[in-house]
């Protein structure tokens, strides 16, 4: 029994040297092309999204202590890389874009919040401050709807 415990401890130690791909980073970005600059959300909407979404959907990820410990670190880094690929509030416009056009993608911000699909439930259990109330999601959706009404 003791041998197995030692073996597991050794394995855990070795895992720490296995680098996760992609690496943990917060790439720099052009603030003029960010969600905040382009969409001009009201303060309460921006604060809600920052609190509940930005860790996985922006280049301003707050990497928690557990994201430095393998094998959890690999999981966290995959979620962030995957999240950024789907939706990145920091890179709201692509480098070659001058105006925003992906309105159906924008609409999903409300859909995900309303259905409770996002923020990811596993994340919320570790980050209770990211939980959204009914009122939070109503505020986000009301603003998204008003933007969509003006755009279409
Ligand atoms: C813990 C990380 C994490 C958090 C926090 C998070 N997301 Fe996600 N999000 C992901 C990942 C991973 C994907 C891609 C896989 C998937 O769709 O489940 C994703 C996908 C999405 C998509 C694309 C869905 C599609 O069909 O293309 C939208 C929109 C989205 N998230 C919105 C949000 C919003 C809005 C918030 C905050 C209220 C949020 N997410 C919080 C990780 C996260």
């Amino acid at each position: 029994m003791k041998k197995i415990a030692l073996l597991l401890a050794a394995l855990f130690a070795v895992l720490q040297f296995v680098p996760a791909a992609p690496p943990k980073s917060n790439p720099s970005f052009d603030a003029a092309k960010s969600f905040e600059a382009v969409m001009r959300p009201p303060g309460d909407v921006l604060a809600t999204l920052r609190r509940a979404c930005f860790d996985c959907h922006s280049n301003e990820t707050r990497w928690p202590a557990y994201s430095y410990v393998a094998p959890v670190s690999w999981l966290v880094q995959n979620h962030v890389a995957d999240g950024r690929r789907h939706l990145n509030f920091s890179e709201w416009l692509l480098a070659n874009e001058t105006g925003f056009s992906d309105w159906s993608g924008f609409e999903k911000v409300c859909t995900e919040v309303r259905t409770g699909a996002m923020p990811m439930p596993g994340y919320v259990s570790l980050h209770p401050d990211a939980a959204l109330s009914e009122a939070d999601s109503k505020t986000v959706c009301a603003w998204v709807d008003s933007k969509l009404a003006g755009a279409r």
Side-chain angles (χ1 to χ4, degrees):
M1 221 34 219
K2 211 169 159 197
K3 270 192 184 147
I4 294 177
L6 275 175
L7 204 69
L8 284 178
L11 187 70
F12 182 75
V14 169
L15 281 188
Q16 305 312 313
F17 293 96
V18 180
K24 235 181 330 271
S25 68
N26 284 358
S28 64
F29 60 95
D30 180 355
K33 292 187 184 290
S34 70
F35 171 79
E36 185 175 355
V38 175
M39 308 306 275
R40 305 197 159 279
D44 53 350
V45 170
L46 182 62
T48 298
L49 297 177
R50 272 193 174 277
R51 160 165 81 79
C53 321
F54 271 48
D55 276 347
C56 299
H57 291 291
S58 82
N59 294 359
E60 298 180 63
T61 305
R62 295 162 300 174
W63 298 99
Y66 63 78
S67 75
Y68 289 86
V69 184
V72 180
S73 53
W74 307 337
L75 201 77
V76 173
Q77 281 166 251
N78 266 319
H79 279 159
V80 173
D82 205 19
R84 283 176 180 166
R85 227 182 351 258
H86 279 81
L87 170 81
N88 190 332
F89 287 110
S90 305
E91 300 173 16
W92 193 251
L93 297 187
L94 303 176
N96 59 355
E97 276 180 330
T98 51
F100 183 69
S101 59
D102 181 15
W103 294 100
S104 62
F106 173 63
E107 193 168 14
K108 281 189 190 160
V109 170
C110 159
T111 320
E112 298 289 324
V113 168
R114 187 162 45 206
T115 57
M118 292 283 156
M120 292 171 74
Y123 170 82
V124 176
S125 56
L126 290 168
H127 299 260
D129 60 311
L132 298 185
S133 67
E134 184 93 18
D136 292 332
S137 76
K138 282 208 172 114
T139 305
V140 169
C141 284
W143 173 70
V144 168
D145 286 345
S146 73
K147 284 293 263 196
L148 287 171
R152 282 173 173 162

